[in-house]
C-alpha cells in the first residue's frame, strides 16, 4: 500500500497502532503527549479540537497546571517532526485541526469506502458494495490506537470498533444475499468469538452453516448463544434469531440461499457526505434509558416525511449533550450527511439565529457556494428544500425556541431525521416524538461526578460525593460546574465544596465558572416568559411545601384555581416547574433558589400579601379537615379572616385525611413561614390544627417541635389565650416522648394561665395532662385528683371529647394501681362517649384500656371481644404506637384462650409496629406485654431481651410503673433460666418501686 504513494507522500494510520509515514520512512513522533495529541486530532480529521479536549486526551489523571502550555509545545514539536507539519497541523481559534487529503488517513479512507458501499447497495449493485467493504476492512491492522490509549482516545476507539463490526455485518449480509455461505464461516466464527453477545453475527453464522449443509452446527450455535445470553444478561435470544432457529428446524424454504442477481452497471458516487456535528463528549455519563428511548423513536420515525425526534427539558439538564450522542450513534443510517446548527434560542448574551441565517449556514454545509445562496428568505428556503431532495440526512436543530423556525428548516421528503432540543415543548410541532429530559438519577449523578472528577477522589469521599450530587439537584450542568471547580482547585476536598453548597443563599453563586453558571441558564428561561408568569414564578417559590396543588397555588397568587392551573401548566411547558403527579407541581431545588433570589425591596409588599393569602387558606382548610377527623374538638374563634380562596373537596373524613396526608409537609412549612414573615397568630392557630393530625399519626417529635415554636410565638404576642392553648398541646407531646418532668412544668403553667383567663376547657385539658404525667411518674395519689377534676369539668362543660379522654386516662391509672373494677367502670364510660362522638382513634385507646382492666379481673373472653372490636376499627392511618399495644394485648389474650398460632402472629405484628413508633411509652408497654407472653410460652431468653429493653427505656424516662413491671418480668425470666440470684435481685427492686407507688399485691402480677 505504501508503494502506491509518491516518494515523500505523508500517510497517517490510526486503525491499529499509531503510524506516520513519509514515503517508506516511519516517523518518530516524540513522547506520549505528542502521540496522544496527534491521535486525538486524527480521530476528528478536519475538525477543530479545543486545547481543553487535547489536555483531557493527553493526561489520564489530573493534568498539571501547565497542561495547556505543554499541549502547545507538543504541537510545535509535531510540526518539526512531520515534513511540512505546519501545513498539516493548523491553528484554528481556540484549538487545532489536521488538514489531510482523503487518501492520507486510513480512517478517512475507511469512512469513504463504507459510504461508497452504502451508495452501491442503494443503487442495486451489491458486488460493488462488497468490494468497497472488503477494502475498508482491510485497512484495519488491529485495535484502534492501543499504544496511546487514554480515557478520551479509548472512548473514540470503542466507537470506531463498533463501526468496524457494523461494516463487517453489512459485508456478510450482502455476501449471504448473493448466495455465498461456506466461504463466510471462518470469518464469522472469528468475529463471533470476539463478540459473543452480538446476535446479528450469530444469526449470519447460523445461516452460513445451514446453507453449507451443516444444520447440526447451526443449531449448536443457537444453543450456545442462548445459554450465554441467559447466563450473562438474563435474557432470551431476540425474536429475529429465534425465527432463524425455528426455520432451520423445519427446513424453511425462506432460509435457502437466494439466486444471485445480475449486477447493474456501476453508478458514480457523490463526494463524501458533510458532517458538522459537535464532538461527542468523552466523559458523557448516564442517560442510558433516555438514549434507548430516543433511538427507538428515531427507528419508528424512519418512514415518516420526515421523522422528528425532540428533547425538551429545563436549562442545564444536558439536552444538547444527549442529542449529540444520539446523533453520532445514528450517523451511519444517514449517509448523505449529518448537520448541526445552534439556533441560540436560549444562549446567554446572544440573539437567536434568524431563519435566513440558519438556512445560509446549512446550505454552505451542504457545499453550496456562498455566491449561489439567494439573498431573500423565500429563495433560501427553496434552495434548501431543493438541495435535500433524494437525500438521507440527519439534522440536529439545537436550542430551538420557535416552532415556525423549526418548520421552515424541515426537510421536504421522507428519509431524513430531524433532532430538536428546546427548553419548552413546542406543542404545535406536529408529528414530533417528544422526550422530556428530567434531572439525572442518583446513581447516574454520582457516576457523572466520578467520570468528570475521577474515580479515586469519589472513592476517597463517597458520602460527600453523594451529597454533592444531591446539593446540585442531580442537574448535569450543576454537577459539571461543581466538579470543574474541584479540578481547578486541587487542594479543595469534595467535603469542603459540599459545606459551601449547604448554604442555600450562596449555592447558585458557587455553581458558576467563568461565563457558565446555573443562575444564568435559568435566567434565560425566566426572561423569555411574559411578565405575569414571571411574577407568578417568583410568588410560587414562597410556597413552603415540596409539592404545590392548584388550590394552594390559587390562594398564593390571588386567582381562581382555573387561572392558577393555566399558569402552572405554562411554567411546566417551559420547565420552570416540574409535575411529579397529576395536578401536583414542584420546583427543582436550584430553580426554587433562583426564584427566591428574585425577591427584594421592590417585591416585599406583594410577597407579604401572597404569604398572608396562603396562610389564610391553610388555616381555613385545616380547620375544616380537623372538624371531620376529630369530632368533638372544641371550636375556637381565631380572630383571623377566613380565606376567599376555593377550598379542596373535604366532604368527609376520608377526603380530609387524604388532604392532610398530602399537605403534611406544606402545613408544617406554613407554620415556619408564618413565623419567619411575622404572622405569629397564624402560626399558633395553624399549629393547633396540625398537631391534632401529627398526634393521631404518631409524628410526635414534629408535634413537640411545632408546639414549642407555637409557645414562643404566643409569648412574643403576649396573648395568654394562645399561650394556654400552645402550652396545653406541648404538655401532651412531652408525655408521648417520655419527657415527663418537663411536661409537668408545662402543664402547670398551662393550668395557671387557663385559670387566670377563666378558660375552663383548657383548664380541663391541663388537669387531665397533669394527671396523666403524674400517673406515669408513679405519683398515683397526686394524679387522681387532677383526673377527677378533669372528668368533672368535661362533663360540666358538656365537652364529650374532653370527658372521654380524661376517663380513659383515669381508667389507666386505676388499672396500674390494681383497682380493676374502677378501671373497668371508667373505661366503659369512655368507650360509650367515643362511640357517641364517632371518634375511632380515641375508641381504639379506650377499648384497649377496657380490655386491660378486664384482664386484671381475669375476664379473658370479654377482653377478647373488646380487642376484636378495636382491631376491626383500626387501620394504617392510626398511631402505630397505640395499635402496637392493641396487638400485643390481643396476642396475650389469644394465648390465654388457647390459640397459640394467632398469638404468635399478633405478637410479631405488634413488635414490628411499635419499633417503628417514636413513642417510648407505647414501646415499653408493648415489650413488657410480649415479654410476659414469651415467659408463658416457654421462651425465657426472648422474654429476657424484651424486658431488658423495656427496663432501659422506662428507667431512662422515669416511667415508674412499667419499670417495675419490667423488673418483675426479668425476675420471672431469670428464674426460668435458672439464675436464682438475678431473679431475687430483680424481684426486690420491683417490690421497692411498687411499695413507693402504693400498688397493692393484686396490681403487681399480670
Amino acid at each position: 500500500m505504501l508503494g502506491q504513494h509518491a516518494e515523500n507522500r505523508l500517510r497517517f494510520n490510526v486503525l491499529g497502532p499509531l503510524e506516520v509515514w513519509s514515503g517508506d520512512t516511519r516517523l518518530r513522533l516524540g513522547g506520549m503527549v505528542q502521540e496522544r495529541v496527534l491521535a486525538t486530532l486524527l480521530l476528528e480529521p478536519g475538525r477543530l479540537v479545543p486545547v481543553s479536549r487535547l489536555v483531557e486526551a493527553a493526561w489520564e489523571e489530573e493534568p498539571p497546571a501547565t497542561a495547556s502550555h505543554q499541549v502547545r509545545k507538543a504541537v510545535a514539536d509535531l510540526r518539526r517532526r512531520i515534513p511540512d507539519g505546519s501545513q498539516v497541523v493548523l491553528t484554528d481559534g481556540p484549538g487545532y485541526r489536521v488538514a489531510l487529503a482523503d487518501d492520507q488517513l486510513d480512517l478517512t479512507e475507511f469512512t469513504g469506502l463504507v459510504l461508497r458501499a452504502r451508495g452501491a447497495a442503494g443503487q442495486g449493485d451489491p458486488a460493488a458494495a462488497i468490494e468497497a467493504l472488503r477494502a475498508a476492512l482491510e485497512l484495519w491492522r488491529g485495535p484502534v490506537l492501543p499504544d496511546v490509549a487514554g480515557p478520551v482516545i479509548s472512548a473514540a476507539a470503542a466507537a470506531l470498533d463498533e463501526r468496524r463490526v457494523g461494516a463487517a455485518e453489512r459485508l456478510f449480509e450482502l455476501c449471504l444475499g448473493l448466495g455465498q455461505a461456506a466461504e463466510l464461516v471462518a470469518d464469522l466464527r472469528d468475529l463471533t468469538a470476539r463478540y459473543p453477545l452480538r446476535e446479528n453475527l450469530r444469526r449470519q453464522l447460523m445461516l452460513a452453516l445451514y446453507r453449507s449443509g451443516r444444520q447440526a452446527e447451526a443449531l449448536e450455535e443457537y444453543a450456545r448463544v442462548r445459554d450465554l445470553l441467559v447466563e450473562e444478561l438474563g435474557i432470551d435470544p431476540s425474536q429475529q434469531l429465534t425465527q432463524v432457529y425455528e426455520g432451520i428446524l423445519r427446513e424453511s424454504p425462506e432460509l435457502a440461499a437466494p439466486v444471485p442477481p445480475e449486477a447493474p452497471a456501476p453508478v458514480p458516487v457523490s463526494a463524501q457526505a458533510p458532517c458538522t456535528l459537535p464532538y461527542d463528549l468523552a466523559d458523557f455519563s448516564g442517560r442510558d434509558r433516555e438514549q434507548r428511548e430516543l433511538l427507538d423513536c428515531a427507528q419508528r420515525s424512519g418512514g415518516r416525511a420526515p421523522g422528528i425526534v425532540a428533547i425538551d427539558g429545563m436549562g442545564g439538564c444536558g439536552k444538547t449533550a444527549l442529542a449529540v450522542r444520539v446523533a453520532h450513534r445514528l450517523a451511519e443510517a444517514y449517509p448523505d450527511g449529518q448537520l448541526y446548527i445552534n439556533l441560540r434560542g436560549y444562549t446567554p448574551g446572544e440573539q437567536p439565529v434568524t431563519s435566513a441565517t440558519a438556512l445560509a449556514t446549512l446550505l454552505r454545509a451542504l457545499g453550496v457556494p456562498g455566491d449561489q445562496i439567494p439573498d431573500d428568505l423565500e429563495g433560501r428556503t427553496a434552495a434548501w428544500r431543493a438541495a435535500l431532495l433524494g437525500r438521507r440526512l440527519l439534522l440536529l436543530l439545537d436550542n430551538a425556541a420557535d416552532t415556525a423556525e423549526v418548520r421552515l428548516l424541515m426537510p421536504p421528503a421522507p428519509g431524513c431525521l430531524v433532532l430538536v432540543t428546546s427548553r419548552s415543548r413546542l406543542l404545535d410541532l406536529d408529528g414530533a416524538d417528544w422526550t422530556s429530559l428530567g434531572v439525572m438519577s442518583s446513581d447516574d449523578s454520582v457516576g457523572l461526578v466520578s467520570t468528570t472528577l475521577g474515580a479515586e477522589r469519589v472513592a476517597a469521599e463517597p458520602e460527600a460525593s453523594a451529597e454533592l450530587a444531591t446539593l446540585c439537584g442531580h442537574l448535569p450542568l450543576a454537577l459539571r460546574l461543581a466538579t470543574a471547580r474541584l479540578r481547578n482547585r486541587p487542594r479543595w476536598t469534595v467535603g469542603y465544596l459540599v459545606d459551601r453548597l449547604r448554604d442555600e443563599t450562596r449555592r447558585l453563586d458557587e455553581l458558576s465558572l467563568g461565563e457558565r453558571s446555573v443562575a444564568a441558564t435559568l435566567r434565560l428561561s425566566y426572561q423569555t416568559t411574559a411578565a405575569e408568569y414571571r411574577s407568578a414564578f417568583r410568588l410560587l417559590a414562597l410556597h413552603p411545601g415540596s409539592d404545590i396543588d392548584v388550590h394552594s397555588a390559587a390562594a398564593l397568587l390571588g386567582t381562581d384555581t382555573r387561572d392558577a392551573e393555566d399558569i402552572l401548566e405554562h411554567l411546566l411547558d417551559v420547565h420552570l416547574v416540574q409535575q411529579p403527579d397529576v395536578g401536583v407541581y414542584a420546583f427543582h431545588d436550584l430553580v426554587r433558589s433562583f426564584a427566591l433570589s428574585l425577591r427584594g425591596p421592590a417585591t416585599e409588599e406583594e410577597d407579604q400579601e401572597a404569604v398572608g393569602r396562603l396562610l389564610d387558606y391553610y388555616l381555613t382548610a385545616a380547620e375544616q379537615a380537623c372538624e371531620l377527623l376529630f369530632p368533638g374538638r372544641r371550636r375556637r374563634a381565631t380572630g383571623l379572616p377566613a380565606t376567599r380562596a376555593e377550598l379542596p373537596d373535604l366532604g368527609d373524613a376520608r377526603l380530609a385525611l387524604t388532604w392532610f396526608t398530602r399537605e403534611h409537609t406544606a402545613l408544617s412549612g406554613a407554620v415556619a413561614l408564618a413565623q419567619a414573615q411575622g404572622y405569629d397568630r397564624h402560626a399558633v392557630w395553624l399549629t393547633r390544627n396540625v398537631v391534632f393530625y401529627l398526634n393521631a399519626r404518631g409524628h410526635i417529635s414534629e408535634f413537640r417541635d411545632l408546639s414549642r415554636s407555637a409557645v414562643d410565638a404566643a409569648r412574643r404576642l403576649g396573648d395568654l389565650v394562645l399561650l394556654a392553648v400552645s402550652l396545653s398541646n406541648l404538655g401532651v407531646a412531652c408525655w408521648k416522648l417520655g419527657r415527663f418532668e418537663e411536661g409537668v412544668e408545662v402543664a402547670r403553667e398551662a393550668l395557671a394561665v387557663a385559670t387566670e383567663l377563666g378558660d375552663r376547657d383548657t383548664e380541663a385539658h391541663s388537669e387531665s395532662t397533669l394527671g396523666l404525667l403524674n400517673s406515669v411518674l408513679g405519683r398515683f395519689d397526686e394524679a387522681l385528683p387532677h383526673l377527677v377534676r378533669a372528668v368533672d369539668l368535661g362533663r360540666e362543660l358538656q365537652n364529650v371529647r374532653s370527658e372521654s379522654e380524661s376517663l380513659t386516662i383515669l381508667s389507666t391509672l386505676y388499672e396500674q394501681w390494681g383497682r380493676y373494677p374502677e378501671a373497668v367502670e371508667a373505661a366503659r364510660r369512655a368507650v360509650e362517649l367515643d362511640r357517641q362522638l364517632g371518634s375511632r382513634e380515641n375508641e381504639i385507646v379506650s377499648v384497649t384500656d377496657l380490655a386491660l382492666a378486664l384482664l386484671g379481673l381475669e375476664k379473658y373472653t370479654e377482653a377478647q371481644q373488646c380487642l376484636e372490636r378495636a382491631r376491626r376499627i383500626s387501620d394504617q392511618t392510626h398511631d402505630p404506637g397505640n395499635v402496637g399495644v392493641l396487638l400485643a394485648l390481643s396476642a396475650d389474650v389469644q394465648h390465654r384462650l388457647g390459640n397459640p398460632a394467632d398469638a404468635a402472629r399478633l405478637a410479631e405484628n405488634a413488635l414490628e409496629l411499635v419499633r417503628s413508633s417514636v413513642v417510648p411509652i407505647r414501646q415499653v408497654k408493648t415489650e413488657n406485654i410480649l415479654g410476659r407472653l414469651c415467659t408463658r410460652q416457654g421462651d425465657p431468653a426472648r422474654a429476657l431481651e424484651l424486658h431488658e429493653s423495656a427496663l432501659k427505656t422506662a428507667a431512662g424516662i422515669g416511667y415508674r410503673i412499667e419499670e417495675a413491671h419490667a423488673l418483675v418480668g426479668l425476675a420471672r425470666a431469670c428464674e426460668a433460666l435458672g439464675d436464682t440470684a438475678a431473679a431475687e435481685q430483680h424481684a426486690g427492686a420491683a417490690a421497692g418501686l411498687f411499695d413507693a407507688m402504693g400498688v397493692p399485691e393484686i396490681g403487681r402480677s399480670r
Side-chain angles (χ1 to χ4, degrees):
M1 182 173 60
L2 294 172
Q4 298 172 3
H5 297 281
E7 183 177 350
N8 295 318
R9 178 74 165 168
L10 283 172
R11 172 72 178 181
F12 298 81
N13 296 324
V14 296
L15 301 180
L18 177 63
E19 294 178 349
V20 181
W21 296 84
S22 176
D24 295 330
T25 303
R26 183 171 177 179
L27 303 181
R28 296 178 61 84
L29 300 174
M32 184 60 73
V33 172
Q34 286 90 331
E35 291 182 345
R36 285 180 171 171
V37 166
L38 180 60
T40 305
L41 292 169
L42 292 173
L43 287 170
E44 299 191 49
R47 297 182 194 167
L48 164 68
V49 181
V51 170
S52 59
R53 181 165 174 78
L54 295 173
V55 168
E56 287 183 285
W59 284 272
E60 293 185 27
E61 304 297 334
E62 187 76 12
T66 60
S68 297
H69 177 65
Q70 291 189 46
V71 165
R72 293 186 175 91
K73 283 183 64 178
V75 169
D77 190 35
L78 287 169
R79 286 171 173 168
R80 286 193 301 270
R81 292 173 181 269
I82 299 171
D84 295 323
S86 59
Q87 302 301 313
V88 175
V89 183
L90 306 179
T91 302
D92 191 349
Y96 302 93
R97 62 184 174 88
V98 291
L100 299 172
D102 289 349
D103 61 350
Q104 286 185 284
L105 176 63
D106 58 357
L107 174 57
T108 307
E109 279 192 304
F110 172 79
T111 302
L113 288 166
V114 169
L115 289 171
R116 184 190 303 173
R118 186 178 289 117
Q123 296 293 330
D125 189 359
I130 289 171
E131 181 182 359
L133 286 170
R134 281 183 172 148
L137 292 168
E138 285 173 1
L139 292 169
W140 289 74
R141 296 167 292 111
V144 174
L145 301 170
D147 50 337
V148 296
V152 172
I153 294 174
S154 293
L160 284 176
D161 192 57
E162 176 68 21
R163 291 177 61 187
R164 177 190 187 185
V165 180
E169 286 180 327
R170 286 195 293 277
L171 172 62
F172 294 134
E173 199 69 30
L174 289 167
C175 290
L176 287 168
L178 290 179
Q180 299 177 27
E183 58 267 50
L184 304 178
V185 170
D187 288 338
L188 278 165
R189 282 200 186 279
D190 178 59
L191 270 183
T192 53
R194 280 187 280 162
Y195 304 95
L197 297 176
R198 199 151 182 127
E199 292 183 71
N200 194 41
L201 281 173
R202 196 78 64 160
R203 177 187 64 82
Q204 292 171 333
L205 176 57
M206 289 169 62
L207 280 174
L209 287 167
Y210 174 70
R211 291 174 181 177
S212 302
R214 300 158 69 175
Q215 180 180 12
E217 291 180 61
L219 295 174
E220 285 176 1
E221 287 297 329
Y222 179 84
R224 190 174 293 115
V225 73
R226 179 188 58 201
D227 293 342
L228 186 62
L229 288 169
V230 170
E231 180 180 349
E232 295 289 334
L233 303 178
I235 62 174
D236 292 321
S238 66
Q239 183 180 2
Q240 188 179 22
L241 193 60
T242 302
Q243 286 174 347
V244 171
Y245 167 74
E246 292 171 349
I248 292 173
L249 285 175
R250 63 173 183 269
E251 298 184 351
S252 171
E254 297 174 359
L255 299 185
V259 177
E262 293 185 7
V267 177
V269 180
S270 60
Q272 182 177 340
C275 177
T276 61
L277 294 176
Y279 68 85
D280 191 10
L281 289 176
D283 58 2
F284 187 95
S285 178
R287 299 294 195 192
D288 293 337
R289 179 186 60 80
E290 292 87 348
Q291 286 187 64
R292 289 194 301 271
E293 183 178 328
L294 290 166
L295 291 169
D296 288 345
C297 288
Q299 186 176 9
R300 289 196 305 269
S301 64
R304 300 183 188 174
I308 311 172
V309 177
I311 308 170
D312 66 302
M314 66 181 290
C317 70
K319 300 181 294 296
T320 299
L322 177 61
V324 169
R325 166 143 293 205
V326 169
H328 278 286
R329 293 184 64 178
L330 292 169
E332 289 192 4
Y334 297 91
D336 296 321
Q338 307 89 37
L339 303 184
Y340 167 89
I341 185 167
N342 184 355
L343 298 175
R344 306 189 187 283
Y346 301 90
T347 301
E350 297 190 36
Q351 292 297 316
V353 174
T354 64
S355 299
T357 301
L359 286 167
T361 301
L362 293 170
L363 286 167
R364 288 191 186 95
L366 287 178
V368 178
D371 57 0
Q372 295 182 24
I373 297 175
D375 293 331
D376 61 309
L377 179 61
E378 292 77 9
R380 291 181 179 182
T381 303
W384 167 246
R385 291 176 177 172
L388 293 183
L389 289 176
R391 290 180 181 258
R392 284 185 57 79
L393 181 135
L394 184 149
L395 178 62
L396 173 48
L397 304 177
D398 190 25
N399 217 351
D402 181 65
T403 301
E405 184 172 40
V406 173
R407 284 188 183 138
L408 193 67
L409 302 178
M410 292 296 293
C416 294
L417 177 70
V418 180
L419 295 175
V420 181
T421 74
S422 178
R423 291 200 188 178
S424 62
R425 177 164 289 194
L426 307 179
L427 297 174
D428 49 348
L429 184 58
D430 298 331
D433 285 314
W434 283 95
T435 293
S436 286
L437 199 60
V439 298
M440 300 182 83
S441 67
S442 298
D443 289 343
D444 279 356
S445 296
V446 175
L448 179 57
V449 172
S450 180
T451 302
T452 55
L453 187 58
E456 290 185 3
R457 292 185 73 176
V458 171
E461 300 179 83
E463 293 181 0
S465 298
E467 187 174 357
L468 175 67
T470 300
L471 290 171
C472 288
H474 306 290
L475 190 68
L477 174 61
L479 290 165
R480 287 186 175 275
L481 289 171
T483 53
R485 294 195 75 191
L486 286 169
R487 288 199 307 272
N488 291 337
R489 293 164 175 79
R491 294 186 180 278
W492 282 19
T493 63
V494 179
Y496 177 72
L497 179 57
V498 165
D499 286 339
R500 295 171 68 99
L501 290 173
R502 287 193 184 113
D503 183 353
E504 188 175 357
T505 61
R506 55 184 286 188
R507 188 175 302 163
L508 288 176
D509 294 332
E510 295 289 341
L511 296 174
S512 62
L513 193 66
E515 295 182 355
R516 299 180 73 199
S517 75
V518 173
T521 299
L522 296 175
R523 188 174 298 278
L524 282 167
S525 297
Y526 169 75
Q527 289 175 339
T528 58
T529 61
E532 61 176 306
Y533 297 121
R534 293 200 296 270
S535 175
F537 171 69
R538 188 192 74 250
L539 292 176
L540 287 167
L542 295 168
H543 194 285
S546 56
D547 294 334
I548 307 172
D549 73 341
V550 294
H551 291 91
S552 58
L556 192 58
L557 299 175
T559 66
D560 60 30
T561 54
R562 183 179 294 276
D563 287 343
E565 185 174 24
D566 288 344
I567 290 169
L568 286 164
E569 285 293 319
H570 174 79
L571 295 175
L572 177 65
D573 287 339
V574 296
H575 292 280
L576 286 173
V577 298
Q578 302 167 334
Q579 189 172 51
D581 203 350
V582 176
V584 178
Y585 304 83
F587 278 101
H588 184 279
D589 288 346
L590 296 178
V591 177
R592 183 190 291 274
S593 296
F594 170 72
L596 291 174
S597 73
L598 301 171
R599 299 174 60 203
T603 69
E604 186 174 348
E605 183 177 349
E606 186 181 7
D607 294 344
Q608 191 81 357
E609 290 175 355
V611 169
R613 290 193 300 267
L614 182 68
L615 295 175
D616 287 344
Y617 162 78
Y618 271 130
L619 181 59
T620 305
E623 188 79 22
Q624 184 172 324
C626 283
E627 289 295 321
L628 293 162
L629 288 172
F630 310 108
R633 193 184 74 136
R634 179 188 175 189
R635 295 184 177 180
R636 287 182 175 271
T638 65
L640 295 169
T643 185
R644 296 181 180 179
E646 179 184 344
L647 294 178
D649 184 4
L650 300 172
D652 55 38
R654 179 185 61 82
L655 291 171
L657 180 60
T658 299
W659 179 83
F660 244 128
T661 302
R662 188 182 69 242
E663 295 284 355
H664 169 191
T665 303
L667 287 164
S668 297
V671 173
L673 179 64
Q675 292 179 314
Q677 297 292 326
Y679 288 93
D680 281 333
R681 190 169 298 276
H682 283 83
V684 174
W685 287 119
L686 190 55
T687 295
R688 179 185 181 242
N689 290 330
V690 175
V691 298
F692 268 86
Y693 168 79
L694 297 176
N695 183 39
R697 296 302 298 270
H699 302 302
I700 308 305
S701 295
E702 190 177 349
F703 175 6
R704 176 200 59 199
D705 293 343
L706 284 184
S707 297
R708 281 179 174 170
S709 65
V711 168
D712 293 340
R715 292 193 197 281
R716 283 195 299 272
L717 289 168
D719 190 315
L720 292 181
V721 173
L722 298 183
L723 181 60
V725 170
S726 303
L727 288 167
S728 181
N729 287 327
L730 180 57
V732 174
C734 289
W735 163 65
K736 287 214 166 184
L737 288 173
R739 305 175 70 92
F740 303 141
E741 294 293 358
E742 178 187 349
V744 168
E745 293 181 12
V746 169
R748 281 175 178 164
E749 183 181 2
L751 178 60
V753 174
T755 302
E756 179 182 346
L757 290 170
D759 181 353
R760 304 187 73 199
D761 282 287
T762 303
E763 185 182 344
H765 190 275
S766 301
E767 292 277 17
S768 183
T769 304
L770 280 169
L772 174 63
L773 290 163
N774 278 299
S775 69
V776 294
L777 286 166
R779 304 167 186 164
F780 295 162
D781 289 330
E782 290 184 48
L784 183 59
H786 286 298
L787 291 172
V788 171
R789 171 67 174 159
V791 171
D792 290 343
L793 277 171
R795 187 176 297 124
E796 180 183 336
L797 294 168
Q798 297 183 339
N799 187 330
V800 177
R801 186 183 184 92
S802 173
E803 183 185 354
S804 73
E805 289 176 347
S806 299
L807 282 167
T808 298
I809 300 169
L810 181 60
S811 170
T812 301
L813 171 64
Y814 282 140
E815 185 273 331
Q816 292 172 339
W817 217 340
R819 296 164 63 169
Y820 299 121
E822 292 163 286
V824 169
E825 181 183 357
R828 287 194 192 282
R829 175 60 180 161
V831 170
E832 180 184 340
L833 292 174
D834 288 334
R835 289 178 181 172
Q836 177 183 327
L837 275 174
S839 175
R840 289 194 168 189
E841 183 73 42
N842 284 8
E843 186 182 349
I844 291 170
V845 178
S846 58
V847 169
T848 303
D849 280 356
L850 175 57
L852 198 58
L854 290 168
L855 275 179
L857 297 175
E858 299 184 356
K859 296 183 178 181
Y860 303 135
T861 302
E862 191 175 348
Q864 180 194 26
Q865 293 170 352
C866 290
L867 293 169
E868 286 177 347
R869 160 70 182 174
R871 291 200 302 275
R872 281 198 304 272
I873 64 174
S874 68
D875 56 41
Q876 70 273 12
T877 67
H878 296 111
D879 184 342
N882 290 340
V883 179
V885 173
L886 163 63
L887 296 179
L889 200 57
S890 298
D892 186 7
V893 172
Q894 288 295 337
H895 184 266
R896 292 176 188 272
L897 293 175
N899 301 315
D902 289 341
R905 174 180 54 82
L906 289 164
E908 182 179 352
N909 293 341
L911 200 57
E912 182 180 349
L913 258 181
V914 81
R915 292 255 165 104
S916 69
S917 169
V918 296
V919 183
I921 56 173
R922 300 308 189 201
Q923 181 176 335
V924 167
K925 197 173 191 71
T926 300
E927 288 176 337
N928 273 336
I929 294 171
L930 295 178
R932 292 191 290 269
L933 174 60
C934 286
T935 300
R936 289 199 304 275
Q937 289 174 327
D939 188 359
R942 179 64 174 144
L944 197 68
E945 292 178 10
L946 289 166
H947 286 307
E948 283 178 343
S949 175
L951 178 62
K952 180 180 179 181
T953 303
I957 63 178
Y959 195 177
R960 294 291 172 258
I961 189 65
E962 289 300 331
E963 182 181 352
H965 284 300
L967 288 165
V968 171
L970 286 172
R972 291 173 180 168
C974 288
E975 186 176 353
L977 291 168
D979 190 347
T980 306
E984 289 178 354
Q985 181 182 357
H986 291 316
L993 284 173
F994 282 131
D995 289 343
M997 290 182 286
V999 178
E1001 194 63 36
I1002 191 175
R1004 302 187 183 193
S1005 59
R1006 291 178 175 175

